[in-house]
Amino acid sequence: MIRWLLRAVVAAGLLGSAWVHYVVWQDWASETDVVGPLFLVNVVAGVVIAIAVLAWHHWLPALAAVGFGLATLGAYVLSLTTGFFGVSERFTSQAELWGVITEAACVLFALPLLRDRESTDR
């Protein structure tokens, strides 16, 4: 039961991040050369990994969710500090807040799924 709850929260985080990136892509990112396509990759990857987390009870989707969350948060931190492919953010919008929350959820709730690999291998 707890594992299903963890999987549901991780999937919700992945889908939430995908949605945020889609909304931001529609708002302004579609007009940027590198970041625009990367936002679309994030949208597709979030949906695919969410489906995998729910459907495949193996440690690989959980690892992918952790990697997704860390990579996306890392790119965002770069955009806040040094800039990321010409994009500099300031953490002023609701989309940025929800992005951080959903991506942190991907990492925090997928890590316990990785801890006990025996019960996730099927």
mmCIF file with all atom_site columns, all heavy atoms in Angstrom, residues 3 6-7 57-59 62 110-122:
data_model
loop_
_atom_site.group_PDB
_atom_site.id
_atom_site.type_symbol
_atom_site.label_atom_id
_atom_site.label_alt_id
_atom_site.label_comp_id
_atom_site.label_asym_id
_atom_site.label_entity_id
_atom_site.label_seq_id
_atom_site.pdbx_PDB_ins_code
_atom_site.Cartn_x
_atom_site.Cartn_y
_atom_site.Cartn_z
_atom_site.occupancy
_atom_site.B_iso_or_equiv
_atom_site.pdbx_formal_charge
_atom_site.auth_seq_id
_atom_site.auth_comp_id
_atom_site.auth_asym_id
_atom_site.auth_atom_id
_atom_site.pdbx_PDB_model_num
ATOM 1   N N   . ARG A 1 3   ? 3.931  1.533  -1.006  1.00 0.00 ? 3   ARG A N   1
ATOM 2   C CA  . ARG A 1 3   ? 4.657  1.624  -2.282  1.00 0.00 ? 3   ARG A CA  1
ATOM 3   C C   . ARG A 1 3   ? 3.760  2.217  -3.373  1.00 0.00 ? 3   ARG A C   1
ATOM 4   O O   . ARG A 1 3   ? 4.216  2.978  -4.196  1.00 0.00 ? 3   ARG A O   1
ATOM 5   C CB  . ARG A 1 3   ? 5.174  0.257  -2.675  1.00 0.00 ? 3   ARG A CB  1
ATOM 6   C CG  . ARG A 1 3   ? 6.296  -0.183 -1.737  1.00 0.00 ? 3   ARG A CG  1
ATOM 7   C CD  . ARG A 1 3   ? 7.102  -1.236 -2.367  1.00 0.00 ? 3   ARG A CD  1
ATOM 8   N NE  . ARG A 1 3   ? 8.512  -1.229 -2.222  1.00 0.00 ? 3   ARG A NE  1
ATOM 9   C CZ  . ARG A 1 3   ? 9.365  -0.225 -2.097  1.00 0.00 ? 3   ARG A CZ  1
ATOM 10  N NH1 . ARG A 1 3   ? 8.957  0.979  -2.067  1.00 0.00 ? 3   ARG A NH1 1
ATOM 11  N NH2 . ARG A 1 3   ? 10.652 -0.410 -1.985  1.00 0.00 ? 3   ARG A NH2 1
ATOM 12  N N   . LEU A 1 6   ? 3.569  5.896  -2.736  1.00 0.00 ? 6   LEU A N   1
ATOM 13  C CA  . LEU A 1 6   ? 4.813  6.528  -3.195  1.00 0.00 ? 6   LEU A CA  1
ATOM 14  C C   . LEU A 1 6   ? 4.825  6.640  -4.722  1.00 0.00 ? 6   LEU A C   1
ATOM 15  O O   . LEU A 1 6   ? 5.175  7.689  -5.278  1.00 0.00 ? 6   LEU A O   1
ATOM 16  C CB  . LEU A 1 6   ? 6.033  5.737  -2.728  1.00 0.00 ? 6   LEU A CB  1
ATOM 17  C CG  . LEU A 1 6   ? 6.397  5.847  -1.259  1.00 0.00 ? 6   LEU A CG  1
ATOM 18  C CD1 . LEU A 1 6   ? 7.500  4.844  -0.907  1.00 0.00 ? 6   LEU A CD1 1
ATOM 19  C CD2 . LEU A 1 6   ? 6.830  7.264  -0.918  1.00 0.00 ? 6   LEU A CD2 1
ATOM 20  N N   . ARG A 1 7   ? 4.448  5.561  -5.385  1.00 0.00 ? 7   ARG A N   1
ATOM 21  C CA  . ARG A 1 7   ? 4.424  5.590  -6.860  1.00 0.00 ? 7   ARG A CA  1
ATOM 22  C C   . ARG A 1 7   ? 3.443  6.648  -7.374  1.00 0.00 ? 7   ARG A C   1
ATOM 23  O O   . ARG A 1 7   ? 3.731  7.352  -8.335  1.00 0.00 ? 7   ARG A O   1
ATOM 24  C CB  . ARG A 1 7   ? 4.039  4.221  -7.407  1.00 0.00 ? 7   ARG A CB  1
ATOM 25  C CG  . ARG A 1 7   ? 5.113  3.199  -7.228  1.00 0.00 ? 7   ARG A CG  1
ATOM 26  C CD  . ARG A 1 7   ? 4.721  1.852  -7.830  1.00 0.00 ? 7   ARG A CD  1
ATOM 27  N NE  . ARG A 1 7   ? 5.693  0.860  -7.475  1.00 0.00 ? 7   ARG A NE  1
ATOM 28  C CZ  . ARG A 1 7   ? 6.915  0.784  -7.981  1.00 0.00 ? 7   ARG A CZ  1
ATOM 29  N NH1 . ARG A 1 7   ? 7.289  1.645  -8.884  1.00 0.00 ? 7   ARG A NH1 1
ATOM 30  N NH2 . ARG A 1 7   ? 7.748  -0.148 -7.592  1.00 0.00 ? 7   ARG A NH2 1
ATOM 31  N N   . HIS A 1 57  ? 6.848  -2.133 -11.973 1.00 0.00 ? 57  HIS A N   1
ATOM 32  C CA  . HIS A 1 57  ? 7.287  -2.150 -10.578 1.00 0.00 ? 57  HIS A CA  1
ATOM 33  C C   . HIS A 1 57  ? 8.720  -2.651 -10.491 1.00 0.00 ? 57  HIS A C   1
ATOM 34  O O   . HIS A 1 57  ? 8.985  -3.756 -10.004 1.00 0.00 ? 57  HIS A O   1
ATOM 35  C CB  . HIS A 1 57  ? 6.357  -2.995 -9.730  1.00 0.00 ? 57  HIS A CB  1
ATOM 36  C CG  . HIS A 1 57  ? 4.987  -2.432 -9.693  1.00 0.00 ? 57  HIS A CG  1
ATOM 37  N ND1 . HIS A 1 57  ? 4.026  -2.924 -8.862  1.00 0.00 ? 57  HIS A ND1 1
ATOM 38  C CD2 . HIS A 1 57  ? 4.405  -1.408 -10.359 1.00 0.00 ? 57  HIS A CD2 1
ATOM 39  C CE1 . HIS A 1 57  ? 2.917  -2.233 -9.028  1.00 0.00 ? 57  HIS A CE1 1
ATOM 40  N NE2 . HIS A 1 57  ? 3.123  -1.322 -9.943  1.00 0.00 ? 57  HIS A NE2 1
ATOM 41  N N   . HIS A 1 58  ? 9.601  -1.835 -10.955 1.00 0.00 ? 58  HIS A N   1
ATOM 42  C CA  . HIS A 1 58  ? 11.027 -2.134 -10.998 1.00 0.00 ? 58  HIS A CA  1
ATOM 43  C C   . HIS A 1 58  ? 11.748 -0.899 -10.490 1.00 0.00 ? 58  HIS A C   1
ATOM 44  O O   . HIS A 1 58  ? 11.175 0.189  -10.433 1.00 0.00 ? 58  HIS A O   1
ATOM 45  C CB  . HIS A 1 58  ? 11.418 -2.460 -12.450 1.00 0.00 ? 58  HIS A CB  1
ATOM 46  C CG  . HIS A 1 58  ? 12.747 -3.093 -12.603 1.00 0.00 ? 58  HIS A CG  1
ATOM 47  N ND1 . HIS A 1 58  ? 13.893 -2.365 -12.763 1.00 0.00 ? 58  HIS A ND1 1
ATOM 48  C CD2 . HIS A 1 58  ? 13.114 -4.392 -12.620 1.00 0.00 ? 58  HIS A CD2 1
ATOM 49  C CE1 . HIS A 1 58  ? 14.916 -3.195 -12.887 1.00 0.00 ? 58  HIS A CE1 1
ATOM 50  N NE2 . HIS A 1 58  ? 14.467 -4.432 -12.798 1.00 0.00 ? 58  HIS A NE2 1
ATOM 51  N N   . TRP A 1 59  ? 13.007 -1.052 -10.141 1.00 0.00 ? 59  TRP A N   1
ATOM 52  C CA  . TRP A 1 59  ? 13.749 0.091  -9.614  1.00 0.00 ? 59  TRP A CA  1
ATOM 53  C C   . TRP A 1 59  ? 14.166 1.075  -10.713 1.00 0.00 ? 59  TRP A C   1
ATOM 54  O O   . TRP A 1 59  ? 14.441 2.240  -10.428 1.00 0.00 ? 59  TRP A O   1
ATOM 55  C CB  . TRP A 1 59  ? 14.961 -0.372 -8.803  1.00 0.00 ? 59  TRP A CB  1
ATOM 56  C CG  . TRP A 1 59  ? 15.942 -1.204 -9.571  1.00 0.00 ? 59  TRP A CG  1
ATOM 57  C CD1 . TRP A 1 59  ? 15.925 -2.558 -9.706  1.00 0.00 ? 59  TRP A CD1 1
ATOM 58  C CD2 . TRP A 1 59  ? 17.068 -0.740 -10.297 1.00 0.00 ? 59  TRP A CD2 1
ATOM 59  N NE1 . TRP A 1 59  ? 16.975 -2.968 -10.479 1.00 0.00 ? 59  TRP A NE1 1
ATOM 60  C CE2 . TRP A 1 59  ? 17.702 -1.870 -10.857 1.00 0.00 ? 59  TRP A CE2 1
ATOM 61  C CE3 . TRP A 1 59  ? 17.616 0.512  -10.541 1.00 0.00 ? 59  TRP A CE3 1
ATOM 62  C CZ2 . TRP A 1 59  ? 18.843 -1.775 -11.641 1.00 0.00 ? 59  TRP A CZ2 1
ATOM 63  C CZ3 . TRP A 1 59  ? 18.760 0.604  -11.322 1.00 0.00 ? 59  TRP A CZ3 1
ATOM 64  C CH2 . TRP A 1 59  ? 19.358 -0.531 -11.861 1.00 0.00 ? 59  TRP A CH2 1
ATOM 65  N N   . ALA A 1 62  ? 11.997 4.278  -10.939 1.00 0.00 ? 62  ALA A N   1
ATOM 66  C CA  . ALA A 1 62  ? 12.261 5.129  -9.770  1.00 0.00 ? 62  ALA A CA  1
ATOM 67  C C   . ALA A 1 62  ? 13.582 5.866  -9.947  1.00 0.00 ? 62  ALA A C   1
ATOM 68  O O   . ALA A 1 62  ? 13.691 7.058  -9.635  1.00 0.00 ? 62  ALA A O   1
ATOM 69  C CB  . ALA A 1 62  ? 12.276 4.288  -8.497  1.00 0.00 ? 62  ALA A CB  1
ATOM 70  N N   . ALA A 1 110 ? 10.736 9.181  -4.754  1.00 0.00 ? 110 ALA A N   1
ATOM 71  C CA  . ALA A 1 110 ? 11.266 8.048  -5.523  1.00 0.00 ? 110 ALA A CA  1
ATOM 72  C C   . ALA A 1 110 ? 12.445 7.396  -4.815  1.00 0.00 ? 110 ALA A C   1
ATOM 73  O O   . ALA A 1 110 ? 12.694 6.207  -5.009  1.00 0.00 ? 110 ALA A O   1
ATOM 74  C CB  . ALA A 1 110 ? 11.673 8.499  -6.926  1.00 0.00 ? 110 ALA A CB  1
ATOM 75  N N   . LEU A 1 111 ? 13.161 8.143  -3.992  1.00 0.00 ? 111 LEU A N   1
ATOM 76  C CA  . LEU A 1 111 ? 14.300 7.558  -3.277  1.00 0.00 ? 111 LEU A CA  1
ATOM 77  C C   . LEU A 1 111 ? 13.909 6.361  -2.417  1.00 0.00 ? 111 LEU A C   1
ATOM 78  O O   . LEU A 1 111 ? 14.608 5.341  -2.445  1.00 0.00 ? 111 LEU A O   1
ATOM 79  C CB  . LEU A 1 111 ? 15.018 8.621  -2.444  1.00 0.00 ? 111 LEU A CB  1
ATOM 80  C CG  . LEU A 1 111 ? 15.937 9.560  -3.236  1.00 0.00 ? 111 LEU A CG  1
ATOM 81  C CD1 . LEU A 1 111 ? 16.469 10.663 -2.336  1.00 0.00 ? 111 LEU A CD1 1
ATOM 82  C CD2 . LEU A 1 111 ? 17.060 8.793  -3.903  1.00 0.00 ? 111 LEU A CD2 1
ATOM 83  N N   . PRO A 1 112 ? 12.807 6.409  -1.661  1.00 0.00 ? 112 PRO A N   1
ATOM 84  C CA  . PRO A 1 112 ? 12.431 5.211  -0.897  1.00 0.00 ? 112 PRO A CA  1
ATOM 85  C C   . PRO A 1 112 ? 12.111 4.005  -1.788  1.00 0.00 ? 112 PRO A C   1
ATOM 86  O O   . PRO A 1 112 ? 12.296 2.864  -1.370  1.00 0.00 ? 112 PRO A O   1
ATOM 87  C CB  . PRO A 1 112 ? 11.186 5.647  -0.123  1.00 0.00 ? 112 PRO A CB  1
ATOM 88  C CG  . PRO A 1 112 ? 11.257 7.123  -0.070  1.00 0.00 ? 112 PRO A CG  1
ATOM 89  C CD  . PRO A 1 112 ? 11.961 7.555  -1.313  1.00 0.00 ? 112 PRO A CD  1
ATOM 90  N N   . LEU A 1 113 ? 11.654 4.253  -3.003  1.00 0.00 ? 113 LEU A N   1
ATOM 91  C CA  . LEU A 1 113 ? 11.398 3.150  -3.927  1.00 0.00 ? 113 LEU A CA  1
ATOM 92  C C   . LEU A 1 113 ? 12.697 2.484  -4.351  1.00 0.00 ? 113 LEU A C   1
ATOM 93  O O   . LEU A 1 113 ? 12.717 1.300  -4.686  1.00 0.00 ? 113 LEU A O   1
ATOM 94  C CB  . LEU A 1 113 ? 10.630 3.640  -5.151  1.00 0.00 ? 113 LEU A CB  1
ATOM 95  C CG  . LEU A 1 113 ? 9.204  4.103  -4.924  1.00 0.00 ? 113 LEU A CG  1
ATOM 96  C CD1 . LEU A 1 113 ? 8.628  4.714  -6.196  1.00 0.00 ? 113 LEU A CD1 1
ATOM 97  C CD2 . LEU A 1 113 ? 8.342  2.957  -4.436  1.00 0.00 ? 113 LEU A CD2 1
ATOM 98  N N   . LEU A 1 114 ? 13.783 3.229  -4.350  1.00 0.00 ? 114 LEU A N   1
ATOM 99  C CA  . LEU A 1 114 ? 15.088 2.669  -4.705  1.00 0.00 ? 114 LEU A CA  1
ATOM 100 C C   . LEU A 1 114 ? 15.715 1.900  -3.550  1.00 0.00 ? 114 LEU A C   1
ATOM 101 O O   . LEU A 1 114 ? 16.508 0.996  -3.756  1.00 0.00 ? 114 LEU A O   1
ATOM 102 C CB  . LEU A 1 114 ? 16.055 3.784  -5.115  1.00 0.00 ? 114 LEU A CB  1
ATOM 103 C CG  . LEU A 1 114 ? 15.831 4.407  -6.471  1.00 0.00 ? 114 LEU A CG  1
ATOM 104 C CD1 . LEU A 1 114 ? 16.771 5.581  -6.670  1.00 0.00 ? 114 LEU A CD1 1
ATOM 105 C CD2 . LEU A 1 114 ? 16.012 3.384  -7.560  1.00 0.00 ? 114 LEU A CD2 1
ATOM 106 N N   . ARG A 1 115 ? 15.383 2.279  -2.339  1.00 0.00 ? 115 ARG A N   1
ATOM 107 C CA  . ARG A 1 115 ? 16.003 1.692  -1.153  1.00 0.00 ? 115 ARG A CA  1
ATOM 108 C C   . ARG A 1 115 ? 15.751 0.191  -1.044  1.00 0.00 ? 115 ARG A C   1
ATOM 109 O O   . ARG A 1 115 ? 16.639 -0.569 -0.695  1.00 0.00 ? 115 ARG A O   1
ATOM 110 C CB  . ARG A 1 115 ? 15.489 2.385  0.097   1.00 0.00 ? 115 ARG A CB  1
ATOM 111 C CG  . ARG A 1 115 ? 16.563 2.984  0.902   1.00 0.00 ? 115 ARG A CG  1
ATOM 112 C CD  . ARG A 1 115 ? 16.092 3.558  2.191   1.00 0.00 ? 115 ARG A CD  1
ATOM 113 N NE  . ARG A 1 115 ? 14.677 3.479  2.429   1.00 0.00 ? 115 ARG A NE  1
ATOM 114 C CZ  . ARG A 1 115 ? 14.000 4.337  3.132   1.00 0.00 ? 115 ARG A CZ  1
ATOM 115 N NH1 . ARG A 1 115 ? 14.608 5.357  3.671   1.00 0.00 ? 115 ARG A NH1 1
ATOM 116 N NH2 . ARG A 1 115 ? 12.708 4.211  3.322   1.00 0.00 ? 115 ARG A NH2 1
ATOM 117 N N   . ASP A 1 116 ? 14.554 -0.215 -1.308  1.00 0.00 ? 116 ASP A N   1
ATOM 118 C CA  . ASP A 1 116 ? 14.192 -1.613 -1.168  1.00 0.00 ? 116 ASP A CA  1
ATOM 119 C C   . ASP A 1 116 ? 13.977 -2.218 -2.545  1.00 0.00 ? 116 ASP A C   1
ATOM 120 O O   . ASP A 1 116 ? 12.864 -2.378 -3.003  1.00 0.00 ? 116 ASP A O   1
ATOM 121 C CB  . ASP A 1 116 ? 12.926 -1.742 -0.310  1.00 0.00 ? 116 ASP A CB  1
ATOM 122 C CG  . ASP A 1 116 ? 12.559 -3.183 -0.041  1.00 0.00 ? 116 ASP A CG  1
ATOM 123 O OD1 . ASP A 1 116 ? 13.422 -4.058 -0.212  1.00 0.00 ? 116 ASP A OD1 1
ATOM 124 O OD2 . ASP A 1 116 ? 11.405 -3.426 0.335   1.00 0.00 ? 116 ASP A OD2 1
ATOM 125 N N   . ARG A 1 117 ? 15.072 -2.553 -3.208  1.00 0.00 ? 117 ARG A N   1
ATOM 126 C CA  . ARG A 1 117 ? 14.994 -3.047 -4.587  1.00 0.00 ? 117 ARG A CA  1
ATOM 127 C C   . ARG A 1 117 ? 14.289 -4.392 -4.701  1.00 0.00 ? 117 ARG A C   1
ATOM 128 O O   . ARG A 1 117 ? 13.665 -4.669 -5.705  1.00 0.00 ? 117 ARG A O   1
ATOM 129 C CB  . ARG A 1 117 ? 16.398 -3.157 -5.178  1.00 0.00 ? 117 ARG A CB  1
ATOM 130 C CG  . ARG A 1 117 ? 17.012 -1.845 -5.478  1.00 0.00 ? 117 ARG A CG  1
ATOM 131 C CD  . ARG A 1 117 ? 18.300 -2.057 -6.181  1.00 0.00 ? 117 ARG A CD  1
ATOM 132 N NE  . ARG A 1 117 ? 18.925 -0.782 -6.464  1.00 0.00 ? 117 ARG A NE  1
ATOM 133 C CZ  . ARG A 1 117 ? 20.058 -0.651 -7.075  1.00 0.00 ? 117 ARG A CZ  1
ATOM 134 N NH1 . ARG A 1 117 ? 20.720 -1.704 -7.461  1.00 0.00 ? 117 ARG A NH1 1
ATOM 135 N NH2 . ARG A 1 117 ? 20.565 0.530  -7.304  1.00 0.00 ? 117 ARG A NH2 1
ATOM 136 N N   . GLU A 1 118 ? 14.401 -5.224 -3.690  1.00 0.00 ? 118 GLU A N   1
ATOM 137 C CA  . GLU A 1 118 ? 13.811 -6.572 -3.787  1.00 0.00 ? 118 GLU A CA  1
ATOM 138 C C   . GLU A 1 118 ? 12.304 -6.522 -4.002  1.00 0.00 ? 118 GLU A C   1
ATOM 139 O O   . GLU A 1 118 ? 11.760 -7.300 -4.768  1.00 0.00 ? 118 GLU A O   1
ATOM 140 C CB  . GLU A 1 118 ? 14.142 -7.378 -2.544  1.00 0.00 ? 118 GLU A CB  1
ATOM 141 C CG  . GLU A 1 118 ? 15.580 -7.775 -2.460  1.00 0.00 ? 118 GLU A CG  1
ATOM 142 C CD  . GLU A 1 118 ? 15.889 -8.554 -1.202  1.00 0.00 ? 118 GLU A CD  1
ATOM 143 O OE1 . GLU A 1 118 ? 14.929 -9.046 -0.555  1.00 0.00 ? 118 GLU A OE1 1
ATOM 144 O OE2 . GLU A 1 118 ? 17.062 -8.676 -0.869  1.00 0.00 ? 118 GLU A OE2 1
ATOM 145 N N   . SER A 1 119 ? 11.625 -5.598 -3.333  1.00 0.00 ? 119 SER A N   1
ATOM 146 C CA  . SER A 1 119 ? 10.178 -5.565 -3.477  1.00 0.00 ? 119 SER A CA  1
ATOM 147 C C   . SER A 1 119 ? 9.744  -4.850 -4.756  1.00 0.00 ? 119 SER A C   1
ATOM 148 O O   . SER A 1 119 ? 8.581  -4.879 -5.098  1.00 0.00 ? 119 SER A O   1
ATOM 149 C CB  . SER A 1 119 ? 9.541  -4.890 -2.268  1.00 0.00 ? 119 SER A CB  1
ATOM 150 O OG  . SER A 1 119 ? 9.943  -3.551 -2.196  1.00 0.00 ? 119 SER A OG  1
ATOM 151 N N   . THR A 1 120 ? 10.673 -4.201 -5.455  1.00 0.00 ? 120 THR A N   1
ATOM 152 C CA  . THR A 1 120 ? 10.307 -3.522 -6.686  1.00 0.00 ? 120 THR A CA  1
ATOM 153 C C   . THR A 1 120 ? 10.686 -4.327 -7.920  1.00 0.00 ? 120 THR A C   1
ATOM 154 O O   . THR A 1 120 ? 10.293 -3.977 -9.024  1.00 0.00 ? 120 THR A O   1
ATOM 155 C CB  . THR A 1 120 ? 10.970 -2.133 -6.774  1.00 0.00 ? 120 THR A CB  1
ATOM 156 O OG1 . THR A 1 120 ? 12.379 -2.278 -6.732  1.00 0.00 ? 120 THR A OG1 1
ATOM 157 C CG2 . THR A 1 120 ? 10.475 -1.227 -5.682  1.00 0.00 ? 120 THR A CG2 1
ATOM 158 N N   . ASP A 1 121 ? 11.474 -5.386 -7.779  1.00 0.00 ? 121 ASP A N   1
ATOM 159 C CA  . ASP A 1 121 ? 11.861 -6.198 -8.943  1.00 0.00 ? 121 ASP A CA  1
ATOM 160 C C   . ASP A 1 121 ? 10.743 -7.192 -9.253  1.00 0.00 ? 121 ASP A C   1
ATOM 161 O O   . ASP A 1 121 ? 10.444 -8.072 -8.477  1.00 0.00 ? 121 ASP A O   1
ATOM 162 C CB  . ASP A 1 121 ? 13.156 -6.977 -8.650  1.00 0.00 ? 121 ASP A CB  1
ATOM 163 C CG  . ASP A 1 121 ? 14.365 -6.064 -8.605  1.00 0.00 ? 121 ASP A CG  1
ATOM 164 O OD1 . ASP A 1 121 ? 14.285 -4.985 -9.204  1.00 0.00 ? 121 ASP A OD1 1
ATOM 165 O OD2 . ASP A 1 121 ? 15.365 -6.442 -7.991  1.00 0.00 ? 121 ASP A OD2 1
ATOM 166 N N   . ARG A 1 122 ? 10.132 -7.009 -10.421 1.00 0.00 ? 122 ARG A N   1
ATOM 167 C CA  . ARG A 1 122 ? 9.095  -7.938 -10.871 1.00 0.00 ? 122 ARG A CA  1
ATOM 168 C C   . ARG A 1 122 ? 9.173  -8.083 -12.352 1.00 0.00 ? 122 ARG A C   1
ATOM 169 O O   . ARG A 1 122 ? 9.456  -7.241 -13.086 1.00 0.00 ? 122 ARG A O   1
ATOM 170 C CB  . ARG A 1 122 ? 7.699  -7.420 -10.510 1.00 0.00 ? 122 ARG A CB  1
ATOM 171 C CG  . ARG A 1 122 ? 7.474  -7.455 -9.053  1.00 0.00 ? 122 ARG A CG  1
ATOM 172 C CD  . ARG A 1 122 ? 6.054  -7.084 -8.752  1.00 0.00 ? 122 ARG A CD  1
ATOM 173 N NE  . ARG A 1 122 ? 5.984  -6.770 -7.347  1.00 0.00 ? 122 ARG A NE  1
ATOM 174 C CZ  . ARG A 1 122 ? 4.979  -6.179 -6.795  1.00 0.00 ? 122 ARG A CZ  1
ATOM 175 N NH1 . ARG A 1 122 ? 3.949  -5.817 -7.495  1.00 0.00 ? 122 ARG A NH1 1
ATOM 176 N NH2 . ARG A 1 122 ? 4.975  -5.929 -5.524  1.00 0.00 ? 122 ARG A NH2 1
#
